[in-house]
Amino acid sequence: MKHEKMKMGMLSHCILGFSLLILAGAVFYLTGNEVPTLNEVNSSPSSSSSCNLFEGRWIFDNVSLPFYEEKCSFMLAEFACEAYGRKDLKYRNWRWQPHHCDLPRFNGTKFLEKIRGKRLMFVGDSLSRNQWTSMLCLIESALGPSSPRTVVRDENMRSFHSNEYNATIGLYWSPFMVESSCDDPLIHRVKERVIRLMSIDKHARHWNDANILIFNSYLWWADPITIVWGTSDARNKTVDKMSTRLYEMVLDIWSDWLEINIDRTKTKMFFMSPSPFHLYGQRWDELRNCYKETEPILDERSIGLSILGVKMRVAELALEKLGTQGINIEYLNITHLSEFRKDAHPSIHKYFFHAISKEELANPTSYSDCTHWCLPGVPDVWNQILYSYIMNL
């Protein structure tokens, strides 16, 4: 009998312990702590299976945003939408929220400390300039008095250098990556776009001493292009826009150059996926563009497969090939998250480098810029994501 009582007592303790364990688990679940944040995971975003920074939704946040004011001393007129008459400013207050984790808030001081003694460079076109301008405005509040607020321009290069941190943040204009008729950073709106297919060193020799490289090449492929092979004057004109094969060939040339010239122990590289343009309404059959759009697309089901998907896959394959050769380039897929933001383009509220005709003024949709982004705005999120990767290097 005594033995039976001992068995019953032990069973009661086991049941009680198991019940307490279940209760603790329930409390943990109900308090919303079942999914660790990126900071709690304390691992690289690229390696953390619990955190996909590129899938999520936009949340209106007029408490912690914007990160900076449009009067940032680095602001360029082509992105200063309020200064050029935009009245609705809600585009500044949308925060990107990944589904299963938190996107780390950009900390300018920590970022500058991380790139101390280093050279970071954006390489690409005006969308790279959009992101570069955002980056400088994000770090401005962290700069001490010994850091100049000026940017030095030398041919295709614009460079900001912090004396305090001995850090450089540069922008190199190279819309096709290979040599082209559009290489002048100021006068590049030429009638005929010509690329010298096999000539990349003119630009690439400026990249190989950078510690961090962020590449972007997509927008300028949207028009017919004339090809020059090597140093020959023989030309073959493309007849279609966005020739997938031509884009693939240039990425192969770029890849070959990186394989030979980049010190993979020194340089960390990123490739930005295409920035979407909103030339139509929320539905593709709506005959309007981003003009007068003031709200993002909030229904996630409205965004399906990107119309940019074919070119994205070409870039992804080029990066996968480099990976097999020991050259790792992080692919930052900002396309999907940016597609929601039809409200965040300058439209007519910007400085235009060309005169606007009377006919265009009578029809604002005809000259609305639905390609670039107002600042503060969407490129700040691109840089938040870039920040999360760099801080985990």
Side-chain angles (χ1 to χ4, degrees):
M1 181 67 67
K2 184 177 180 181
H3 182 64
E4 290 294 322
K5 286 183 179 180
M6 287 178 64
K7 288 176 63 179
M8 291 295 294
M10 290 174 64
L11 180 61
S12 298
H13 282 300
C14 289
I15 293 173
L16 179 61
F18 187 69
S19 300
L20 289 173
L21 184 62
I22 293 174
L23 179 62
V27 171
F28 186 71
Y29 177 83
L30 292 173
T31 56
N33 293 324
E34 73 279 12
V35 179
T37 66
L38 180 66
N39 292 331
E40 291 168 339
V41 172
N42 194 29
S43 63
S44 168
S46 59
S47 63
S48 174
S49 59
S50 64
C51 186
N52 182 348
L53 299 182
F54 309 105
E55 294 292 335
R57 61 195 177 99
W58 289 94
I59 297 174
F60 188 74
D61 180 354
N62 60 359
V63 176
S64 64
L65 294 176
F67 284 107
Y68 53 87
E69 296 299 322
E70 190 179 273
K71 62 183 179 181
C72 161
S73 63
F74 299 109
M75 185 61 64
L76 298 177
E78 59 198 288
F79 311 129
C81 299
E82 182 184 13
Y84 284 84
R86 182 160 180 171
K87 302 301 181 184
D88 62 284
L89 304 179
K90 287 176 63 178
Y91 65 88
R92 302 175 175 185
N93 297 107
W94 290 94
R95 172 170 54 83
W96 178 248
Q97 177 61 56
H99 284 317
H100 302 298
C101 56
D102 294 322
L103 186 57
R105 186 172 176 82
F106 193 100
N107 184 309
T109 302
K110 289 182 179 179
F111 182 75
L112 286 167
E113 192 62 57
K114 184 70 176 181
I115 66 169
R116 180 184 289 276
K118 293 182 171 60
R119 187 172 180 232
L120 179 150
M121 189 190 304
F122 292 91
V123 177
D125 53 30
S126 54
L127 285 163
S128 290
R129 186 163 69 241
N130 215 166
Q131 187 176 2
W132 172 76
T133 305
S134 160
M135 178 65 79
L136 294 186
C137 288
L138 284 166
I139 67 165
E140 183 173 39
S141 63
L143 296 172
S146 61
S147 296
R149 298 299 195 279
T150 56
V151 173
V152 176
R153 176 182 286 170
D154 182 15
E155 296 183 345
N156 289 52
M157 181 75 74
R158 297 187 189 194
S159 292
F160 165 79
H161 182 77
S162 166
N163 295 334
E164 183 180 1
Y165 292 92
N166 186 29
T168 299
I169 301 176
L171 169 70
Y172 189 86
W173 173 266
S174 178
F176 294 104
M177 293 198 285
V178 294
E179 188 176 344
S180 78
S181 60
C182 309
D183 285 345
D184 190 311
L186 298 178
I187 309 171
H188 49 254
R189 297 177 181 275
V190 297
K191 187 174 182 180
E192 184 180 14
R193 296 184 176 184
V194 180
I195 66 172
R196 193 172 293 277
L197 191 60
M198 303 304 292
S199 179
I200 192 172
D201 191 63
K202 172 188 173 183
H203 297 311
R205 59 191 175 87
H206 297 281
W207 312 337
N208 57 5
D209 64 340
N211 302 96
I212 302 171
L213 283 166
I214 305 101
F215 292 100
N216 158 55
S217 182
Y218 175 80
L219 181 63
W220 280 70
W221 298 89
D223 290 316
I225 299 169
T226 298
I227 308 170
V228 175
W229 294 89
T231 58
S232 170
D233 289 330
R235 297 182 177 186
N236 297 311
K237 191 165 186 176
T238 58
V239 294
D240 60 335
K241 296 182 179 181
M242 287 303 294
S243 168
T244 302
R245 178 55 187 151
L246 182 57
Y247 186 59
E248 184 179 17
M249 289 168 69
V250 167
L251 288 179
D252 282 343
I253 293 166
W254 168 75
S255 299
D256 291 342
W257 190 93
L258 292 179
E259 185 181 6
I260 296 170
N261 293 279
I262 288 294
D263 182 351
R264 60 202 74 184
T265 64
K266 169 191 172 184
T267 304
K268 180 66 178 177
M269 291 177 285
F270 299 87
F271 194 95
M272 306 299 296
S273 73
S275 170
F277 33 82
H278 292 89
L279 303 181
Y280 304 93
Q282 180 166 338
R283 291 167 45 208
W284 293 115
D285 57 348
E286 292 179 355
L287 298 178
R288 71 170 192 265
N289 58 16
C290 69
Y291 177 61
K292 284 192 172 181
E293 292 285 355
T294 60
E295 296 287 334
I297 299 170
L298 297 178
D299 184 358
E300 292 182 51
R301 295 170 296 179
S302 298
I303 303 294
L305 292 175
S306 174
I307 61 170
L308 309 175
V310 174
K311 296 300 178 297
M312 292 173 67
R313 188 55 187 154
V314 170
E316 289 165 6
L317 288 172
L319 301 186
E320 289 172 10
K321 176 184 173 183
L322 280 168
T324 64
Q325 298 163 347
I327 301 175
N328 296 315
I329 301 180
E330 295 284 0
Y331 183 63
L332 302 188
N333 186 357
I334 53 85
T335 306
H336 178 70
L337 67 90
S338 305
E339 281 181 317
F340 293 94
R341 297 304 308 278
K342 61 185 174 64
D343 61 308
H345 297 286
S347 183
I348 63 172
H349 304 295
K350 60 171 285 184
Y351 173 80
F352 286 92
F353 294 94
H354 63 284
I356 307 299
S357 68
K358 290 182 179 180
E359 292 76 17
E360 287 176 319
L361 288 172
N363 180 20
T365 58
S366 66
Y367 71 96
S368 288
D369 181 349
C370 299
T371 300
H372 302 96
W373 305 91
C374 298
L375 292 178
V378 171
D380 300 331
V381 174
W382 303 350
N383 280 325
Q384 264 190 286
I385 292 172
L386 179 64
Y387 167 85
S388 70
Y389 277 82
I390 291 176
M391 294 303 293
N392 279 285
L393 291 178

